Amino acid sequence: MLLTRRLENPDPMFIAWSSYPAAGMPARMARAGFDAVVVDMQHGMHSESSVLREPPEILATGKPPILRIPVGRNDLASRGLDAGFEAVIAPMINSVEDAKAFVAAMKYPPIGERSWGPAQALKLNPEHTMGSYFKSANGETLAIAMIETMRAVEVYEDILALDGIDGLFIGPSDLSISWSGGKTVNADLPDMQDFLAEVAVKCAEAGKLSAIYATSVESVVRARDMGFRMITATNDDLLIQTGADSILNRVRV
Ligand code: 3PY
Ligand code: MG
């Protein structure tokens, strides 16, 4: 599948994030050059029906589709894989128990309890028969756990070590709220930076994916230099605003 093949290349992936369920827009961002597109059901405005139509459109651009589910909605994780998403990001994985429940939905036995029925995924990956998809799906579709609270910071190495967890994704805004004891929300909080660099190293040592959400070009560069393999470079909302600002600031006197 596209994502596991792309990850054989050590260059970091700079990905886009889709919040608006506008027909054609996630694929448009993929065509703009990003290495993958995340369709966001946690804070984005996507619904179940808008999300499920995205995998064929994004895959048609040659880029992998990734889904972020709402907190605890592991039913949507396996449904997303059945629809052809190649990875699922689960927010607020705060304990090994949370991670195990996520893995159960994402992986076929013996690792998990994913139920059989990858109807659209099979059609989107014609190289697979039912048998070969069943054999390879656990390795080719990625379960990515978000680390974004102090509870998660305390146990993140145990979550990372769990069979079936393929990578960690840092949510720096939520993490900053928890890190500061609820005093601030600041995705660039200086106190967190050593921890973020440590996560990138631990993931590399474990042979698993390190990923992070970045909110500016500066924070993308910082994450890249820390060694993160997958970095959210922008989202649809920010793309429109930065495009508008760069035009309007030049033409308005
Ligand atoms: C966070 O920064 O908390 C996120 O979840 C990014 O999407
Ligand atoms: Mg978050």
Side-chain angles (χ1 to χ4, degrees):
M1 288 185 188
L2 293 178
L3 182 56
T4 44
R5 223 174 299 141
R6 172 61 180 78
L7 285 169
E8 287 167 12
N9 171 346
D11 294 342
M13 294 180 70
F14 299 108
I15 66 171
W17 200 265
S18 164
S19 299
Y20 292 99
M25 277 308 287
R28 178 68 189 88
M29 288 197 289
R31 283 202 177 85
F34 296 102
D35 293 307
V37 178
V38 176
V39 185
D40 184 19
M41 288 188 89
Q42 186 196 11
H43 297 300
M45 285 163 276
H46 281 277
S47 65
E48 216 166 311
S49 51
S50 74
V51 152
L52 295 178
R53 77 171 177 229
E54 291 304 335
E57 296 204 6
I58 297 171
L59 283 167
T61 71
K63 306 289 173 61
I66 301 174
L67 173 66
R68 179 165 77 169
I69 54 174
V71 176
R73 290 297 306 275
N74 293 324
D75 57 324
L76 291 176
S78 33
R79 201 154 149 66
L81 296 183
D82 289 347
F85 284 97
E86 296 196 0
V88 177
I89 300 168
M92 293 285 177
I93 298 294
N94 291 331
S95 63
V96 171
E97 289 67 37
D98 289 347
K100 281 185 177 162
F102 176 46
V103 167
M106 289 288 292
K107 304 292 179 183
Y108 290 121
I111 299 175
E113 299 167 5
R114 182 178 167 195
S115 168
W116 178 255
Q120 181 164 258
L122 268 176
K123 286 177 191 69
L124 293 173
N125 293 281
E127 75 278 13
H128 276 306
T129 61
M130 261 171 49
S132 71
Y133 181 87
F134 178 64
K135 280 210 186 78
S136 61
N138 281 357
E140 290 194 348
T141 51
L142 305 189
I144 304 172
M146 285 196 78
I147 301 298
E148 47 184 354
T149 65
M150 291 313 283
R151 277 178 63 205
V153 167
E154 280 160 26
V155 294
Y156 90 92
E157 289 184 76
D158 298 330
I159 294 172
L160 179 63
L162 205 65
D163 196 16
I165 290 292
D166 300 299
L168 300 183
F169 196 114
I170 301 285
S173 293
D174 275 312
L175 185 56
S176 71
I177 294 174
S178 187
W179 198 286
S180 67
K183 291 197 183 63
T184 189
V185 52
N186 173 7
D188 297 316
L189 195 69
D191 296 358
M192 305 186 310
Q193 299 308 312
D194 287 348
F195 172 71
L196 303 186
E198 177 189 301
V199 170
V201 170
K202 294 279 182 191
C203 287
E205 285 172 1
K208 295 188 176 183
L209 177 67
S210 56
I212 188 166
Y213 195 94
T215 50
S216 64
V217 171
E218 292 71 27
S219 53
V220 173
V221 168
R222 195 171 55 229
R224 181 199 67 193
D225 292 346
M226 285 178 183
F228 279 92
R229 299 284 316 281
M230 180 187 279
I231 304 161
T232 304
T234 193
N235 58 53
D236 41 12
D237 192 61
L238 210 53
L239 268 178
I240 290 173
Q241 197 59 57
T242 48
D245 289 346
S246 83
I247 293 168
L248 296 174
N249 291 341
R250 287 172 63 192
V251 297
R252 282 208 175 114
V253 286

